[in-house]
Amino acid sequence: MSEQTRAAYYDRIAPQHLAPLWTRLKSLVPVEPTPVGVAHRWGYDALRPAVLESAEHISAREAERRVLILENPALTGSSQITQTLYAGLQLIMPGEVAPAHRHTQSALRFIVEGHGAYTAVDGEKTLMEPGDFVITPSWTWHHHGNEGAGPMVWLDGLDIPICAFFNSTFREDHAEEEAAVHRPVGDALARYGSGLLPVGWRNGSLNSPVFNYPYARTREALQALTRAGAPDAHTGHLMRYINPTDGGWAMPTIATMIRLLPAGFATLPYRSTDGTVFTVVEGHGELRVGGQSLALTPRDIVVVPGWMAYTLHAADDLVLFSYSDRVAQEKLGFFREQRLAA
Ligand code: GTQ
């Protein structure tokens, strides 16, 4: 059978919208993943002026969400930082309100700088401080406001590409600029985030009922780990944010973690199938990946595509927040990781 006869056959079946698998099998069902996108660092000091300047061009009200998207340099135009996740830096100026809406996409906020801003989620307000991790579950009304004196910036992580893939996305704008708030500040943390749960209460959501994980508490937990033993050789002192009602991840589609690497510590090479977004909470160091060295200084954002091996190097005590689609991959049976030797 000649290639020519085959090609003629492919041409003849094409009008019936039929195609041979055997010419595509190896790429459709590859031996292992090919990383999508590239590893990249956004240095915060360099991008901060651009973020602040956005306030001169548009208000939070007009923009609805005044955000600069962090787009993977190899996925320009896609609004993707990894194949499955979105990242952006949201700015809210004193006195502004980003109006209430809700959408199918789940969002996380990781607070980068500023004080005095709040987000209201599903009827409860929470004040945000740098290092706090805040959840906006799918289809919950949310708006943001800044009652402080200076600009407030946070990292938005959303599962926009995942929802787009399933084409199951809905949005709705609230009739009012601010959705009603009917629980006191701190209510969720007290009820669900103190190692206690109201008796008889059952979680009806796929998300953690704790929607703000304050950095002060997280930092204390990390510090305690450093006193208790050596860091894991591949990950450092690594903790995941959990849903306290079942021990699962805090969100159904986005896995969130935080780690501390003691001064002078370097990890062994590690890779996993989940492309990961890191941001530096404290400290300095570097992330080495694919022959590149990416500097890690406070508030920088770094992305590492899935299945690319990387190492982390801490100059001083280094605290990194990270998010990925690991929770979704685990549920679907896709997640794999490799702990490599030096
Ligand atoms: O704060 O609701 O970065 O809806 C992108 C879409 C933030 C938000 C983003 C959004 C939001």
Side-chain angles (χ1 to χ4, degrees):
M1 256 160 301
S2 75
E3 277 305 323
Q4 255 178 342
T5 355
R6 280 183 183 170
Y9 164 64
Y10 302 155
D11 288 346
R12 267 184 287 119
I13 65 174
Q16 289 170 274
H17 309 287
L18 298 170
L21 168 65
W22 54 90
T23 62
R24 305 179 187 181
L25 182 61
K26 295 281 192 299
S27 59
L28 283 179
V29 187
V31 171
E32 63 174 1
T34 304
V36 175
V38 292
H40 187 74
R41 164 183 184 259
W42 287 265
Y44 192 71
D45 292 343
L47 64 73
R48 186 175 187 272
V51 170
L52 294 182
E53 189 186 328
S54 67
E56 296 167 24
H57 300 289
I58 195 161
S59 67
R61 179 173 290 123
E62 190 193 348
E64 190 165 331
R65 296 294 182 266
R66 187 174 49 224
V67 177
L68 294 187
I69 299 169
L70 304 177
E71 205 165 54
N72 192 294
L75 303 171
T76 307
S78 69
S79 304
Q80 296 169 354
I81 190 162
T82 69
Q83 190 165 7
T84 53
L85 294 170
Y86 159 101
L89 284 168
Q90 180 156 177
L91 172 69
I92 184 153
M93 299 299 280
E96 286 192 316
V97 171
H101 69 190
R102 61 178 176 176
H103 38 71
T104 323
Q105 293 84 352
S106 299
L108 70 87
R109 328 283 172 191
F110 191 79
I111 316 313
V112 177
E113 68 164 298
H115 305 278
Y118 67 85
T119 184
V121 179
D122 198 22
E124 185 173 329
K125 250 185 190 185
T126 187
L127 283 164
M128 302 185 283
E129 287 295 324
D132 291 359
F133 158 59
V134 178
I135 302 173
T136 309
S138 175
W139 208 242
T140 53
W141 292 113
H142 56 284
H143 63 276
H144 319 299
N146 186 346
E147 295 168 340
M152 183 97 185
V153 179
W154 62 80
L155 177 65
D156 281 326
L158 283 88
D159 56 7
I160 290 173
I162 298 177
C163 291
F165 184 76
F166 288 106
N167 195 25
S168 56
T169 66
F170 297 86
R171 62 161 289 135
E172 192 178 351
D173 294 322
H174 201 281
E176 312 287 333
E177 182 152 83
E178 300 180 32
V181 169
H182 40 76
R183 283 186 304 279
V185 171
D187 190 74
L189 194 61
R191 279 176 201 269
Y192 315 114
S194 305
L196 300 163
L197 287 176
V199 172
W201 179 84
R202 300 273 299 268
N203 190 5
S205 161
L206 295 173
N207 294 269
S208 167
V210 178
F211 74 109
N212 187 349
Y213 295 71
Y215 186 60
R217 284 193 185 187
T218 304
R219 186 68 179 83
E220 228 172 80
L222 290 172
Q223 201 59 38
L225 291 181
T226 67
R227 293 189 289 266
D232 178 275
H234 291 87
T235 62
H237 294 291
L238 178 62
M239 303 281 267
R240 60 190 183 87
Y241 290 90
I242 64 150
N243 176 339
T245 64
D246 62 9
W249 298 93
M251 302 171 69
T253 50
I254 310 179
T256 51
M257 308 204 272
I258 193 152
R259 77 188 74 201
L260 189 151
L261 277 68
F265 181 76
T267 65
L268 292 173
Y270 171 87
R271 65 176 173 174
S272 53
T273 49
D274 54 330
T276 303
V277 180
F278 297 88
T279 185
V280 182
V281 195
E282 287 179 43
H284 299 78
E286 59 183 281
L287 186 153
R288 292 188 198 148
V289 57
Q292 291 184 83
S293 168
L294 305 174
L296 298 172
T297 65
R299 304 167 179 176
D300 292 349
I301 296 122
V302 167
V303 63
V304 177
W307 217 234
M308 284 188 80
Y310 64 91
T311 56
L312 293 165
H313 306 256
D316 44 14
D317 283 3
L318 182 64
V319 179
L320 298 174
F321 171 83
S322 61
Y323 71 92
S324 79
D325 65 10
R326 175 172 171 163
V327 51
Q329 291 201 34
E330 285 182 353
K331 285 176 187 164
L332 298 172
F334 299 154
F335 179 75
R336 283 201 198 189
E337 64 184 340
Q338 263 186 349
R339 292 159 176 268
L340 303 159

